[in-house]
Structures are given as structure tokens and as C-alpha cells.
Amino acid sequence: MSFPLQRYADDHVGTVDTMTAALLFAAFLFGSEISVPGTRRPDAMGATIALAAVSAAALLWQRSRPRAAVAVTALGAAGAATLGHLLTPLLLGPLMLALYRLAVASDRRTARLSFLAALALLVAAALLLDPLDHPWQLDTLSPAACLLLPVAAGNATRLRGAYLEAVQARAEYAERSREEEARHRVAEERMRIARELHDVVAHHLALANAQAGTAAHLSHTHPAQARRILTDLTGTTSSALREMKATVSLLRQADAPHAPLAPSPGLGQLTELTDGFGSAGLAVHVSTEGRPRPLSPGVDLTAYRIVQEALTNVAQHASAEAARVRLRYGEDQLTITVTDDGTGRATAGAPEPGHGFGLIGMRERARSVGGALQAGHRQGGGFEVTTRLPLYPTAPHHQERTP
């Protein structure tokens, strides 16, 4: 059926069913006139018209009550057989349509049982009550073939509809999964950008605050040293602006996909990082054990950010005079230890080192590349942060990249 006709049938179900019933009523009457050559035709026109009318009327409920429609049309066809009519496809038309609707609307077992019951009724009526004694082949094989066809077609239609529904359901599920995955990736990207912004802003603001305080303290007694610190402060703020611009540019990649991207920081910039803290009054000593080896971009960035955050916490909260960064290269992992002497006095109201979002962010960074991080107070005073990062991560959850 073409699409316009299909749409018309779907929109005018009652009209289509009425027209179908009328056509099959006429087919029933026309089929009752067919007979085997050499035999007389039944003389029961009134009863035949009544059976045709009842069978056609039952088709008006073929969609809402398919079982009742099959029962009524089967009784109508059996009644026609008892009058001596030959069971032709035209006469069996109402029953065939009712069986088709039942096979589409119900399961295979129900359709099979209805087919067998209708066939048994027709064969019994034709063989036992046929007054004209038609050949047994016409009373058995012909009805069986005529009734089997609509049942098979109805089952095929039902299975095809179920298949299309399953395909549509899988497509909808796949679409929902893609949307959920997209939302998950967006959330991960936001968390990554938030960590980057936190590290950049917290580090540089803490360093700038320390440098400004030191310069103000030395401005009267050591003006030359104060000017040097203020010069370093200018470099600190410029570096902060550059890193913030590079990080925020992640949000603009959709609008400017060809924008130049700056390289990610790593342990190669560790000297610049520690020199900045030195100008703020925190002496940082760096030591390396083992043979240094190249790191993957994700591990290199993670190591740099953890050292940066740990030193920022020391400068901002611990008010220590010195800190030590130890890098130990093993066979398959890099161990980074950041300790402070804790001899200074913490700022009033400042959170205790190792608490807050900074430590949470460091732990998340370490986990993101398959590593681990521990932090706590030292027995001899001060605070210690130890992280172990794999030198060759095999299956990190996701590696972070900064433009």
C-alpha cells in the first residue's frame, strides 16, 4: 500500500472497515454461486444472504474484538457449508480477514489454536452436513490452504512490527546513551578547567600576596631588595594572566578552533616555579634521586600541578620559612615529596594545611593518571605531601591537557 493510502487508512479506520465489510459481503454472495460442474446449486438464497450479512457485520469489530469476529465468521462459513455451498476463498473471505486480524493482534499460540478450531469446524460441517456431497479434497484441503494463508501473513506482520519497535527502542536507547555520555564529558571538562583555574589563581595570588607583603616590609629598611621583589611581583602577575588566558581559551575552542595553544607546564619549569616562591620569602630546595626520564604529558602536567599546589599551601597557610621538594625516579613510578619546616606562624583564620579543595584537587589529579597521594603532619613538625605517579601509565582514567 502506498503512503497516501496508508495514511488515509490510518486516519479513517471506521470507513475502511465498513467498505471492507461491504466488499466481503458481496464476495460471500458471489462465492456462494460457485459450484462443482455437474452438481446442482443450493436453493437457499435467503439463508445465504443472512449468513453473509452476519459474517460481514462481525468484521466491524475485527480490531476491538478479533476473537469474537473469528468465531462469528467461522460459524457463518460453517453454516454456508451445511447449506451445500462450496468452501471457496470468496466465501471464506470474512473468516480469512478475521484470522489475519487475530494473528496480528495476539500471539502465535492464540492464532494457531483459532486456526485449528475454525478449520475443524469447517471440515466437520462440510464432511458431515454437506447435502451435495462435494469431493472430500474440496472440503478439507481447500479450506486448510485458505485459512493458513492469513494466519501466516498475520504472524509475519506482527513479527515485523515487533522488530521495528525493537529497532526504534534500541535507537532511542543509543541516542539517550550518547546524550548521557556527552553530558558526562562536558562535566569532566568543566571539572578539569575548574581545577586548572584553581591551581593557577590560587598559586599566583598566594605568591603575589606574599611578595607584596615582603616588599612592603622591606620598603623602608631595604629599598633595593624591595624593588627587586616588586619586579618579581610584576613577573608573577604577568605569568598568572598568561596561564589564565591559556586555560580560559579552552572555553573558546568551539568559536576559534585554530587559535594558538600554549604548551602544558611540566617539571621542566620547576626551577621557575621555585624561584617565584624564593622571592616571596620561602626558600625551596629541590633534590632529585635516580635517573630522570621523560614523562608522558599527563603525568608531567600532574606532577607540576601537585608541586605547585603543595608549595602554594605552604606559602599561604603554613607560613613556613623553607620547603623541600624531592623527586625520586624508580623503575616504574615517580615519587614526589613536598615538606615544610612549619617554623612560621600561620595567618589567623587561615585553614590548616592539607584541608580544603586544594588537597582534594591534588588527589583527583593523581588518580586521573593512575597514581596516589598522601598528605599529613610530620612527627618533627611541618607538613608533608607525598604522591606516586606511574612513569608509564597503561590505563589512566583520562589525561589532562592544557592549551
Side-chain angles (χ1 to χ4, degrees):
M1 184 180 293
S2 63
F3 290 113
L5 292 179
Q6 181 68 50
R7 287 196 296 268
Y8 179 85
D10 294 338
D11 296 338
H12 304 81
V13 175
T15 302
V16 172
D17 288 348
T18 302
M19 294 174 60
T20 303
L23 290 175
L24 291 179
F25 171 77
F28 192 104
L29 295 179
F30 183 77
S32 66
E33 297 296 322
I34 300 175
S35 61
V36 177
T39 61
R40 65 182 182 86
R41 288 184 296 180
D43 187 15
M45 192 62 185
T48 302
I49 294 175
L51 291 175
V54 171
S55 298
L59 296 178
L60 299 177
W61 292 276
Q62 58 176 311
R63 301 178 189 271
S64 59
R65 297 181 178 85
R67 291 181 177 83
V70 169
V72 173
T73 53
L75 290 175
T82 61
L83 295 177
H85 293 297
L86 187 63
L87 296 177
T88 63
L90 292 176
L91 191 142
L92 294 175
L95 177 57
M96 293 172 64
L97 179 58
L99 282 173
Y100 172 81
R101 291 296 182 190
L102 179 63
V104 171
S106 62
D107 57 275
R108 182 179 299 179
R109 181 175 180 274
T110 301
R112 185 186 301 117
L113 292 178
S114 299
F115 159 74
L116 293 176
L119 180 61
L121 177 63
L122 293 182
V123 171
L127 292 178
L128 301 178
L129 303 176
D130 184 5
L132 300 183
D133 195 18
H134 291 111
W136 67 270
Q137 295 90 344
L138 297 178
D139 291 336
T140 56
L141 299 181
S142 178
C146 292
L147 299 187
L148 182 61
L149 179 62
V151 172
N155 282 328
T157 302
R158 176 177 52 81
L159 293 176
R160 180 175 179 274
Y163 170 76
L164 293 178
E165 290 180 0
V167 170
Q168 183 178 1
R170 286 196 296 269
E172 293 176 354
Y173 175 77
E175 182 66 24
R176 289 195 300 269
S177 299
R178 283 193 295 269
E179 293 176 355
E180 292 175 0
E181 178 66 17
R183 287 194 294 267
H184 179 68
R185 290 183 180 275
V186 169
E188 285 187 343
E189 186 70 7
R190 288 175 177 173
M191 289 296 298
R192 184 173 71 86
I193 295 173
R195 285 199 299 267
E196 288 295 320
L197 288 175
H198 172 270
D199 292 343
V200 171
V201 173
H203 162 67
H204 288 96
L205 286 183
L207 188 57
N209 180 68
Q211 289 174 332
T214 303
H217 179 72
L218 299 175
S219 61
H220 297 291
T221 58
H222 299 82
Q225 187 177 356
R227 283 194 297 270
R228 181 178 59 82
I229 294 176
L230 290 176
T231 302
D232 294 339
L233 177 60
T234 303
T236 300
T237 55
S238 299
S239 177
L241 290 174
R242 285 195 303 271
E243 289 199 34
M244 287 186 63
K245 181 179 180 181
T247 303
V248 174
S249 66
L250 282 172
L251 303 175
R252 302 175 180 174
Q253 288 184 13
D255 298 330
H258 303 294
L261 301 180
S264 301
L267 292 182
Q269 290 77 38
L270 192 58
T271 302
E272 301 175 6
L273 177 67
T274 56
D275 289 345
F277 283 102
S279 65
L282 178 65
V284 181
H285 305 281
V286 180
S287 62
T288 302
E289 300 177 7
R291 181 175 60 87
R293 276 172 281 173
L295 304 177
S296 65
V299 173
D300 200 17
L301 172 63
T302 299
Y304 178 86
R305 291 303 189 196
I306 288 177
V307 173
Q308 181 187 57
E309 180 64 25
L311 292 177
T312 300
N313 287 340
V314 172
Q316 188 174 6
H317 304 310
S319 297
E321 295 179 355
R324 179 176 296 275
V325 179
R326 185 179 65 180
L327 307 176
R328 184 164 61 86
Y329 290 86
E331 293 184 0
D332 56 356
Q333 69 178 8
L334 168 64
T335 303
I336 303 174
T337 305
V338 181
T339 58
D340 64 80
D341 54 17
T343 58
R345 185 176 180 180
T347 304
E352 187 179 2
H355 293 72
F357 294 106
L359 183 59
I360 295 175
M362 286 191 288
R363 284 202 175 102
E364 289 181 352
R365 283 188 178 278
R367 292 196 197 101
S368 69
V369 294
L373 184 139
Q374 296 177 345
H377 292 280
R378 302 168 60 196
Q379 291 184 354
F383 201 80
E384 179 177 281
V385 175
T386 302
T387 181
R388 295 174 178 83
L389 305 176
L391 290 177
Y392 304 103
T394 55
H397 295 294
H398 98 275
Q399 292 184 353
E400 300 186 40
R401 299 173 61 188
T402 302

